[in-house]
PDB file of all heavy atoms in Angstrom:
ATOM      1  N   ARG A 723       1.379  55.373  61.723  1.00 93.00           N
ATOM      2  CA  ARG A 723       1.353  56.832  61.615  1.00 93.00           C
ATOM      3  C   ARG A 723       2.750  57.416  61.445  1.00 93.00           C
ATOM      4  O   ARG A 723       2.903  58.545  60.982  1.00 93.00           O
ATOM      5  CB  ARG A 723       0.713  57.447  62.866  1.00 93.00           C
ATOM      6  CG  ARG A 723      -0.731  57.057  63.080  1.00 93.00           C
ATOM      7  CD  ARG A 723      -1.218  57.564  64.439  1.00 93.00           C
ATOM      8  NE  ARG A 723      -0.483  56.955  65.538  1.00 93.00           N
ATOM      9  CZ  ARG A 723      -0.669  57.246  66.821  1.00 93.00           C
ATOM     10  NH1 ARG A 723      -1.567  58.169  67.144  1.00 93.00           N
ATOM     11  NH2 ARG A 723       0.029  56.644  67.757  1.00 93.00           N
ATOM     12  N   LYS A 724       3.760  56.669  61.833  1.00 94.00           N
ATOM     13  CA  LYS A 724       5.123  57.188  61.852  1.00 94.00           C
ATOM     14  C   LYS A 724       5.702  57.265  60.440  1.00 94.00           C
ATOM     15  O   LYS A 724       5.279  56.528  59.537  1.00 94.00           O
ATOM     16  CB  LYS A 724       6.006  56.308  62.726  1.00 94.00           C
ATOM     17  CG  LYS A 724       5.485  56.104  64.144  1.00 94.00           C
ATOM     18  CD  LYS A 724       5.415  57.404  64.921  1.00 94.00           C
ATOM     19  CE  LYS A 724       4.985  57.160  66.366  1.00 94.00           C
ATOM     20  NZ  LYS A 724       4.864  58.426  67.120  1.00 94.00           N
ATOM     21  N   PRO A 725       6.704  58.137  60.225  1.00 94.00           N
ATOM     22  CA  PRO A 725       7.353  58.199  58.904  1.00 94.00           C
ATOM     23  C   PRO A 725       8.041  56.896  58.516  1.00 94.00           C
ATOM     24  O   PRO A 725       8.170  56.588  57.342  1.00 94.00           O
ATOM     25  CB  PRO A 725       8.370  59.335  59.064  1.00 94.00           C
ATOM     26  CG  PRO A 725       7.870  60.149  60.208  1.00 94.00           C
ATOM     27  CD  PRO A 725       7.193  59.195  61.135  1.00 94.00           C
ATOM     28  N   VAL A 726       8.493  56.141  59.533  1.00 96.00           N
ATOM     29  CA  VAL A 726       9.127  54.849  59.282  1.00 96.00           C
ATOM     30  C   VAL A 726       8.291  53.773  59.962  1.00 96.00           C
ATOM     31  O   VAL A 726       8.030  53.848  61.170  1.00 96.00           O
ATOM     32  CB  VAL A 726      10.575  54.815  59.803  1.00 96.00           C
ATOM     33  CG1 VAL A 726      11.181  53.416  59.588  1.00 96.00           C
ATOM     34  CG2 VAL A 726      11.421  55.871  59.114  1.00 96.00           C
ATOM     35  N   VAL A 727       7.865  52.788  59.190  1.00 96.00           N
ATOM     36  CA  VAL A 727       7.043  51.696  59.695  1.00 96.00           C
ATOM     37  C   VAL A 727       7.838  50.404  59.570  1.00 96.00           C
ATOM     38  O   VAL A 727       8.413  50.108  58.519  1.00 96.00           O
ATOM     39  CB  VAL A 727       5.721  51.581  58.910  1.00 96.00           C
ATOM     40  CG1 VAL A 727       4.865  50.443  59.461  1.00 96.00           C
ATOM     41  CG2 VAL A 727       4.954  52.895  58.962  1.00 96.00           C
ATOM     42  N   LEU A 728       7.884  49.641  60.655  1.00 96.00           N
ATOM     43  CA  LEU A 728       8.642  48.394  60.707  1.00 96.00           C
ATOM     44  C   LEU A 728       7.690  47.207  60.758  1.00 96.00           C
ATOM     45  O   LEU A 728       6.660  47.256  61.431  1.00 96.00           O
ATOM     46  CB  LEU A 728       9.554  48.366  61.932  1.00 96.00           C
ATOM     47  CG  LEU A 728      10.502  49.561  62.117  1.00 96.00           C
ATOM     48  CD1 LEU A 728      11.268  49.416  63.429  1.00 96.00           C
ATOM     49  CD2 LEU A 728      11.467  49.660  60.946  1.00 96.00           C
ATOM     50  N   GLU A 729       8.076  46.130  60.071  1.00 96.00           N
ATOM     51  CA  GLU A 729       7.323  44.891  60.125  1.00 96.00           C
ATOM     52  C   GLU A 729       8.302  43.735  60.209  1.00 96.00           C
ATOM     53  O   GLU A 729       9.398  43.798  59.648  1.00 96.00           O
ATOM     54  CB  GLU A 729       6.426  44.721  58.893  1.00 96.00           C
ATOM     55  CG  GLU A 729       5.332  45.768  58.777  1.00 96.00           C
ATOM     56  CD  GLU A 729       4.483  45.576  57.539  1.00 96.00           C
ATOM     57  OE1 GLU A 729       4.817  44.677  56.729  1.00 96.00           O
ATOM     58  OE2 GLU A 729       3.501  46.308  57.366  1.00 96.00           O
ATOM     59  N   GLY A 730       7.897  42.695  60.917  1.00 96.00           N
ATOM     60  CA  GLY A 730       8.740  41.514  61.034  1.00 96.00           C
ATOM     61  C   GLY A 730       7.911  40.259  61.149  1.00 96.00           C
ATOM     62  O   GLY A 730       6.825  40.265  61.740  1.00 96.00           O
ATOM     63  N   ASP A 731       8.411  39.177  60.563  1.00 96.00           N
ATOM     64  CA  ASP A 731       7.761  37.874  60.641  1.00 96.00           C
ATOM     65  C   ASP A 731       8.851  36.844  60.916  1.00 96.00           C
ATOM     66  O   ASP A 731       9.741  36.636  60.091  1.00 96.00           O
ATOM     67  CB  ASP A 731       7.035  37.566  59.328  1.00 96.00           C
ATOM     68  CG  ASP A 731       6.229  36.278  59.393  1.00 96.00           C
ATOM     69  OD1 ASP A 731       6.363  35.530  60.376  1.00 96.00           O
ATOM     70  OD2 ASP A 731       5.466  36.006  58.444  1.00 96.00           O
ATOM     71  N   PHE A 732       8.797  36.202  62.086  1.00 97.00           N
ATOM     72  CA  PHE A 732       9.848  35.286  62.517  1.00 97.00           C
ATOM     73  C   PHE A 732       9.228  33.897  62.695  1.00 97.00           C
ATOM     74  O   PHE A 732       8.294  33.732  63.485  1.00 97.00           O
ATOM     75  CB  PHE A 732      10.471  35.767  63.823  1.00 97.00           C
ATOM     76  CG  PHE A 732      10.860  37.213  63.790  1.00 97.00           C
ATOM     77  CD1 PHE A 732      10.027  38.189  64.309  1.00 97.00           C
ATOM     78  CD2 PHE A 732      12.068  37.601  63.213  1.00 97.00           C
ATOM     79  CE1 PHE A 732      10.373  39.528  64.269  1.00 97.00           C
ATOM     80  CE2 PHE A 732      12.423  38.937  63.170  1.00 97.00           C
ATOM     81  CZ  PHE A 732      11.578  39.902  63.696  1.00 97.00           C
ATOM     82  N   PHE A 733       9.763  32.938  61.967  1.00 96.00           N
ATOM     83  CA  PHE A 733       9.183  31.598  61.924  1.00 96.00           C
ATOM     84  C   PHE A 733      10.243  30.570  62.274  1.00 96.00           C
ATOM     85  O   PHE A 733      11.374  30.644  61.783  1.00 96.00           O
ATOM     86  CB  PHE A 733       8.627  31.334  60.524  1.00 96.00           C
ATOM     87  CG  PHE A 733       8.164  29.915  60.288  1.00 96.00           C
ATOM     88  CD1 PHE A 733       6.856  29.553  60.557  1.00 96.00           C
ATOM     89  CD2 PHE A 733       9.044  28.959  59.791  1.00 96.00           C
ATOM     90  CE1 PHE A 733       6.432  28.250  60.336  1.00 96.00           C
ATOM     91  CE2 PHE A 733       8.629  27.658  59.568  1.00 96.00           C
ATOM     92  CZ  PHE A 733       7.317  27.306  59.843  1.00 96.00           C
ATOM     93  N   TYR A 734       9.880  29.617  63.122  1.00 97.00           N
ATOM     94  CA  TYR A 734      10.783  28.510  63.434  1.00 97.00           C
ATOM     95  C   TYR A 734       9.978  27.235  63.567  1.00 97.00           C
ATOM     96  O   TYR A 734       8.981  27.190  64.292  1.00 97.00           O
ATOM     97  CB  TYR A 734      11.563  28.756  64.724  1.00 97.00           C
ATOM     98  CG  TYR A 734      12.415  27.565  65.112  1.00 97.00           C
ATOM     99  CD1 TYR A 734      13.622  27.311  64.458  1.00 97.00           C
ATOM    100  CD2 TYR A 734      12.000  26.687  66.102  1.00 97.00           C
ATOM    101  CE1 TYR A 734      14.392  26.210  64.793  1.00 97.00           C
ATOM    102  CE2 TYR A 734      12.768  25.582  66.447  1.00 97.00           C
ATOM    103  CZ  TYR A 734      13.965  25.347  65.784  1.00 97.00           C
ATOM    104  OH  TYR A 734      14.716  24.249  66.105  1.00 97.00           O
ATOM    105  N   GLN A 735      10.409  26.188  62.862  1.00 96.00           N
ATOM    106  CA  GLN A 735       9.768  24.874  62.951  1.00 96.00           C
ATOM    107  C   GLN A 735      10.831  23.828  63.233  1.00 96.00           C
ATOM    108  O   GLN A 735      11.892  23.828  62.608  1.00 96.00           O
ATOM    109  CB  GLN A 735       9.046  24.533  61.650  1.00 96.00           C
ATOM    110  CG  GLN A 735       8.409  23.140  61.656  1.00 96.00           C
ATOM    111  CD  GLN A 735       7.595  22.881  60.408  1.00 96.00           C
ATOM    112  OE1 GLN A 735       6.389  23.103  60.383  1.00 96.00           O
ATOM    113  NE2 GLN A 735       8.245  22.435  59.339  1.00 96.00           N
ATOM    114  N   ARG A 736      10.531  22.950  64.159  1.00 95.00           N
ATOM    115  CA  ARG A 736      11.461  21.867  64.527  1.00 95.00           C
ATOM    116  C   ARG A 736      10.731  20.545  64.374  1.00 95.00           C
ATOM    117  O   ARG A 736       9.617  20.382  64.835  1.00 95.00           O
ATOM    118  CB  ARG A 736      11.937  22.040  65.967  1.00 95.00           C
ATOM    119  CG  ARG A 736      12.530  20.775  66.585  1.00 95.00           C
ATOM    120  CD  ARG A 736      13.978  20.572  66.200  1.00 95.00           C
ATOM    121  NE  ARG A 736      14.431  19.235  66.558  1.00 95.00           N
ATOM    122  CZ  ARG A 736      14.908  18.891  67.758  1.00 95.00           C
ATOM    123  NH1 ARG A 736      14.948  19.782  68.730  1.00 95.00           N
ATOM    124  NH2 ARG A 736      15.335  17.664  67.986  1.00 95.00           N
ATOM    125  N   ILE A 737      11.362  19.610  63.683  1.00 93.00           N
ATOM    126  CA  ILE A 737      10.843  18.259  63.573  1.00 93.00           C
ATOM    127  C   ILE A 737      11.853  17.317  64.205  1.00 93.00           C
ATOM    128  O   ILE A 737      13.051  17.392  63.922  1.00 93.00           O
ATOM    129  CB  ILE A 737      10.577  17.868  62.103  1.00 93.00           C
ATOM    130  CG1 ILE A 737       9.540  18.814  61.494  1.00 93.00           C
ATOM    131  CG2 ILE A 737      10.080  16.430  62.001  1.00 93.00           C
ATOM    132  CD1 ILE A 737       9.241  18.549  60.044  1.00 93.00           C
ATOM    133  N   HIS A 738      11.364  16.455  65.077  1.00 91.00           N
ATOM    134  CA  HIS A 738      12.235  15.533  65.805  1.00 91.00           C
ATOM    135  C   HIS A 738      13.052  14.690  64.826  1.00 91.00           C
ATOM    136  O   HIS A 738      12.617  14.430  63.714  1.00 91.00           O
ATOM    137  CB  HIS A 738      11.384  14.636  66.705  1.00 91.00           C
ATOM    138  CG  HIS A 738      12.184  13.802  67.651  1.00 91.00           C
ATOM    139  ND1 HIS A 738      13.142  14.327  68.485  1.00 91.00           N
ATOM    140  CD2 HIS A 738      12.180  12.467  67.889  1.00 91.00           C
ATOM    141  CE1 HIS A 738      13.677  13.366  69.200  1.00 91.00           C
ATOM    142  NE2 HIS A 738      13.113  12.223  68.853  1.00 91.00           N
ATOM    143  N   ASN A 739      14.202  14.298  65.250  1.00 81.00           N
ATOM    144  CA  ASN A 739      15.148  13.539  64.425  1.00 81.00           C
ATOM    145  C   ASN A 739      15.858  14.448  63.420  1.00 81.00           C
ATOM    146  O   ASN A 739      15.915  14.171  62.232  1.00 81.00           O
ATOM    147  CB  ASN A 739      14.479  12.357  63.708  1.00 81.00           C
ATOM    148  CG  ASN A 739      14.072  11.269  64.667  1.00 81.00           C
ATOM    149  OD1 ASN A 739      14.537  11.237  65.804  1.00 81.00           O
ATOM    150  ND2 ASN A 739      13.199  10.385  64.224  1.00 81.00           N
TER     151      ASN A 739
END
Side-chain angles (χ1 to χ4, degrees):
R723 297 172 297 178
K724 306 297 184 182
V726 177
V727 181
L728 307 176
E729 296 179 355
D731 185 351
F732 311 97
F733 172 90
Y734 175 77
Q735 177 175 266
R736 162 82 192 274
I737 299 178
H738 189 52
N739 291 344

